[in-house]
Amino acid sequence: MKKIIACLLTLILFVGCSTSNNDEKISFKVNDDYTNFSVTLDEFETLLNAYLSELIDGYSEKSFSSGATDEYSELRVDDTTVVEAFFDDNNVVEYIRVHGFGETDTVISERVANVAGTIIGMSDDEFDYDTLSDNAFNMYDNCIRTDQTEAYGSAVQDHYMMSVDYIETGEYCNFSIWIRPSEFENNEDYLASTDYSTTYGAYCTSITEENEEEISEEEQSSQPTQQQPRTYWGEGMYKVGVDIPAGEYNVIAEEGESAYLDLSSDSTGNSRILNNVFENNMYITVEDGQYLTLKRCYISLE
């Protein structure tokens, strides 16, 4: 799986650097306050359609549809790939997610990587994709997660942050690339920040202070197979009845973050029951067989 993701990130490098500017009148860049981009949702739609027309043979222009809230909208590139835009009260784009659900193979992930590279290619800045690739595997390399195959990582350059989020559950995969403004100018500043340490803690909740030291494969295999009931679910996709019991939960947003959750009747995301962007917390009821995806939020029963 690591080799697959590395190849996909190489695709991002190729597409992001080779795409030309289709509309010189619209500038896509990080604004000076580092809280949003320089385009409204309509301007982003115009740029995105122009670039995707170059990327995809036979592509027909699409429109952003209304999302679950007034701060979220999505443009469906095809049956498996969606571009989600999150925006403020003035319709200025704050951050972007390119998201794909489907069977575990490279086809969907390649499309996600290509579309994300196309969006970054709208900027005149050159992005260091080698750093992104390295961080996708090294940023959280001390995590121990056995319930699903995961790869996470982020890189910052010139106040752009790209984050890779790959979750493989059985025969399906959930692959996302997030594009956000960042207050940090480069990756070194980001890695030295409390933002990084907080994010690390969110992804690596299974590591305690007592066992955070290196655990060998032999030590892991010698641990008892019987486990205590799970009381915490961080970012990721969970099948209700398998990974998380059915019932009502209080979903808590990470401090100072706009959280996102998605509830679907299958792991492809094509049968969405609800999705929402929220702050602080919200309650949700889930039933056996549904798929719950959490981003920048968590469920804790403690």
Side-chain angles (χ1 to χ4, degrees):
M1 191 270 295
K2 178 174 179 177
K3 291 182 178 179
I4 291 176
I5 302 297
C7 292
L8 297 177
L9 296 176
T10 302
L11 285 172
I12 303 175
L13 169 63
F14 174 77
V15 176
C17 293
S18 63
T19 308
S20 61
N21 193 340
N22 287 273
D23 195 333
E24 296 181 356
K25 296 180 181 179
I26 301 176
S27 175
F28 180 83
K29 63 180 182 179
V30 174
N31 281 333
D32 293 339
D33 60 0
Y34 313 125
T35 61
N36 49 30
F37 292 106
S38 60
V39 292
T40 64
L41 183 64
D42 289 341
E43 290 172 335
F44 180 53
E45 179 183 296
T46 299
L47 274 178
L48 184 60
N49 277 311
Y51 276 80
L52 291 180
S53 295
E54 288 190 3
L55 175 68
I56 303 171
D57 291 338
Y59 175 81
S60 59
E61 290 193 359
K62 310 291 196 312
S63 299
F64 276 99
S65 61
S66 299
T69 73
D70 294 336
E71 300 173 342
Y72 160 84
S73 190
E74 63 181 32
L75 184 149
R76 186 166 289 276
V77 178
D78 54 28
D79 291 339
T80 61
T81 308
V82 176
V83 177
E84 301 172 340
F86 301 81
F87 48 89
D88 61 19
D89 293 340
N90 296 316
N91 283 334
V92 176
V93 176
E94 294 181 308
Y95 53 96
I96 300 158
R97 178 171 81 146
V98 185
H99 188 210
F101 279 113
E103 295 183 358
T104 305
D105 55 33
T106 61
V107 176
I108 293 170
S109 299
E110 284 177 358
R111 175 55 56 86
V112 171
N114 281 331
V115 173
T118 296
I119 293 172
I120 281 292
M122 296 176 184
S123 169
D124 293 333
D125 298 311
E126 294 184 0
F127 201 85
D128 183 359
Y129 293 91
D130 288 338
T131 300
L132 174 65
S133 178
D134 291 341
N135 281 348
F137 311 110
N138 299 329
M139 187 171 180
Y140 309 116
D141 57 357
N142 290 322
C143 293
I144 301 175
R145 300 294 295 274
T146 59
D147 53 344
Q148 52 196 14
T149 301
E150 304 179 9
Y152 296 112
S154 300
V156 175
Q157 181 175 317
D158 295 331
H159 300 287
Y160 290 88
M161 174 181 285
M162 283 189 75
S163 302
V164 173
D165 182 341
Y166 180 91
I167 304 172
E168 183 179 310
T169 55
E171 59 182 309
Y172 292 102
C173 69
N174 175 346
F175 185 56
S176 298
I177 297 177
W178 297 78
I179 304 169
R180 300 185 181 93
S182 174
E183 64 179 297
F184 304 103
E185 182 176 2
N186 53 55
N187 211 55
E188 289 74 19
D189 292 345
Y190 172 61
L191 293 177
S193 70
T194 56
D195 282 21
Y196 167 75
S197 58
T198 299
T199 304
Y200 180 93
Y203 279 104
C204 301
T205 55
S206 59
I207 303 297
T208 64
E209 292 182 0
E210 291 76 20
N211 68 0
E212 194 167 7
E213 297 178 357
E214 180 178 356
I215 301 177
S216 67
E217 292 183 2
E218 291 183 359
E219 289 174 323
Q220 292 183 50
S221 63
S222 66
Q223 293 175 358
T225 56
Q226 184 176 2
Q227 298 181 356
Q228 296 295 323
R230 186 170 181 175
T231 60
Y232 183 96
W233 294 265
E235 293 196 344
M237 176 194 287
Y238 304 98
K239 184 174 183 179
V240 182
V242 178
D243 306 314
I244 184 172
E248 183 182 47
Y249 294 96
N250 182 19
V251 185
I252 304 170
E254 297 291 349
E255 184 175 357
E257 295 283 355
S258 292
Y260 172 80
L261 68 78
D262 181 287
L263 184 65
S264 298
S265 59
D266 59 43
S267 61
T268 67
N270 292 327
S271 301
R272 179 171 289 157
I273 299 170
L274 68 86
N275 61 348
N276 201 8
V277 178
F278 65 97
E279 297 179 354
N280 299 320
N281 71 298
M282 69 170 289
Y283 284 88
I284 185 173
T285 300
V286 296
E287 300 177 356
D288 286 345
Q290 295 176 341
Y291 289 81
L292 176 65
T293 300
L294 305 177
K295 190 69 179 178
R296 297 184 306 281
C297 56
Y298 61 91
I299 296 171
S300 178
L301 304 182
E302 297 179 351

